[in-house]
Amino acid sequence: VVIDFPDFNLRLARSIKRLGIPVVYYISPQIWAWRAGRLATIREVADIVLVIFPFEEAIYRKGGVPVEFVGHPLLDFSGPSKSREAFLGGLGLVPSAPTVAVLPGSRPNELIRILPDLVAASGRIRAAIPDAQFVVARARNLDDRYFDAIRGSGVPMHIVEGETDAVLASADVALTASGTATLQTALHDTPMVIVYRVSPLTYHLVRRLVTIDMVGMVNLIAGEKIVPELIQDAFTPEAVANEAISMLKDPHRTARIRAGLARVREKLGGPGASRRVAEAVLRIAQH
């Protein structure tokens, strides 16, 4: 069973296949976004591909690769251990006040490029909505220096480590870096603004390779832009704040977004993804 990491696993899988050992590829390469040529290699080495996004199944099936959609493992999570009242109250915040979750990413380079503008956006939101409060979901094992932008901003932001689900479940809006966190946010029915930024050179190169016009996973699964994406130059404090303020003040827009997030959750396959993966692996092993 090879999991993700295609640059290594595709070479490994080819060697394993030559030994006559069946190969299951779980959480497959994102050929729907770029490097579609990998499909031929996957067809050569994999006895079956287990995909976690519904739209991937048709791509592999059309490419002649045995495939099964197993659902996303995030749906196996039982939910936060604290209510909104208990969580926000424990931070000294007001449970009834508008609450904004800030998810700046989990890697140092993401925080360097993303967090300062999210902090600046939070200042603009607070200027427009004075009782707004902000909770930052901090990934584990990050140095304190990556959060210096918060300390010098003058914006009261509470940093919480290791409780992302509680942060999202207690928020009215999330400002989140693109990635798995967008799905996590959707599972909590939280409207969001998706942001991302890479180096200018990387962006220029990637734009020439990427074959999709959306980057947010919730939008890709929905097949439409249900939440705003502010990428690269479009990602400014003013733009982020305007989107968030609109969501906090416009209940009709919020309702439309939540309806879209509900459709995304329905498409993700329901709980039991890990069990379905285990069953598929056993079928191949016993064949």
Side-chain angles (χ1 to χ4, degrees):
V1 180
V2 293
I3 301 175
D4 203 359
F5 197 27
D7 289 332
F8 174 79
N9 275 329
L10 287 175
R11 292 197 297 269
L12 175 65
R14 180 179 281 114
S15 298
I16 292 172
K17 187 75 171 179
R18 288 176 185 144
L19 299 174
I21 299 172
V23 174
V24 177
Y25 209 128
Y26 177 44
I27 308 185
S28 61
Q30 296 179 347
I31 58 171
W32 40 268
W34 71 324
R35 298 185 69 175
R38 284 174 165 166
L39 187 63
T41 304
I42 296 169
R43 184 169 56 241
E44 173 192 343
V45 303
D47 290 79
I48 190 170
V49 176
L50 306 178
V51 296
I52 62 174
F53 299 121
F55 58 84
E56 294 178 303
E57 189 172 25
I59 296 171
Y60 281 101
R61 185 161 286 123
K62 184 178 179 181
V65 180
V67 62
E68 181 180 339
F69 169 56
V70 293
H72 202 289
L74 273 179
L75 274 78
D76 289 338
F77 179 66
S78 59
S81 58
K82 300 175 185 176
S83 67
R84 173 176 173 135
E85 289 72 20
F87 179 71
L88 293 179
L91 295 175
L93 299 175
V94 181
S96 60
T99 302
V100 179
V102 179
L103 285 75
S106 58
R107 294 187 290 270
N109 62 335
E110 290 178 328
L111 269 79
I112 291 168
R113 294 194 175 101
I114 291 173
L115 183 57
D117 278 353
L118 291 186
V119 172
S122 298
R124 289 174 175 268
I125 295 167
R126 190 171 173 84
I129 305 175
D131 59 340
Q133 51 195 17
F134 304 86
V135 184
V136 180
R138 172 176 173 166
R140 297 185 188 275
N141 303 315
L142 288 169
D143 194 283
D144 285 346
R145 71 179 184 274
Y146 296 118
F147 296 88
D148 286 345
I150 293 174
R151 298 183 186 91
S153 67
V155 182
M157 305 179 78
H158 294 258
I159 303 174
V160 178
E161 183 175 333
E163 294 190 84
T164 300
D165 286 290
V167 172
L168 290 170
S170 303
D172 299 293
V173 169
L175 315 179
T176 176
S178 181
T180 303
T182 65
L183 287 183
Q184 204 170 356
T185 304
L187 295 181
H188 289 289
D189 198 33
T190 305
M192 73 192 85
V193 183
I194 298 174
V195 303
Y196 211 70
R197 180 181 292 127
V198 294
S199 72
L201 177 59
T202 298
Y203 183 75
H204 176 72
L205 293 173
V206 168
R207 285 306 303 164
R208 297 178 63 183
L209 297 172
V210 169
T211 58
I212 53 176
D213 58 3
M214 295 183 289
V215 302
M217 192 53 66
V218 291
N219 290 334
L220 288 166
I221 293 170
E224 59 179 313
K225 194 168 285 188
I226 59 174
V227 297
E229 300 180 359
L230 300 174
I231 308 302
Q232 209 64 11
D233 293 340
F235 171 26
T236 65
E238 181 179 15
V240 174
N242 288 343
E243 295 286 4
I245 292 166
S246 169
M247 292 178 193
L248 289 169
K249 289 188 171 183
D250 185 348
H252 297 292
R253 185 186 186 195
T254 299
R256 290 194 301 272
I257 290 173
R258 287 197 165 120
L261 296 179
R263 293 193 299 273
V264 169
R265 293 195 300 274
E266 289 172 4
K267 291 182 176 183
L268 283 173
S274 296
R275 175 182 50 79
R276 290 188 287 272
V277 171
E279 290 169 351
V281 172
L282 286 172
R283 284 198 306 271
I284 294 294
Q286 295 168 353
H287 181 64

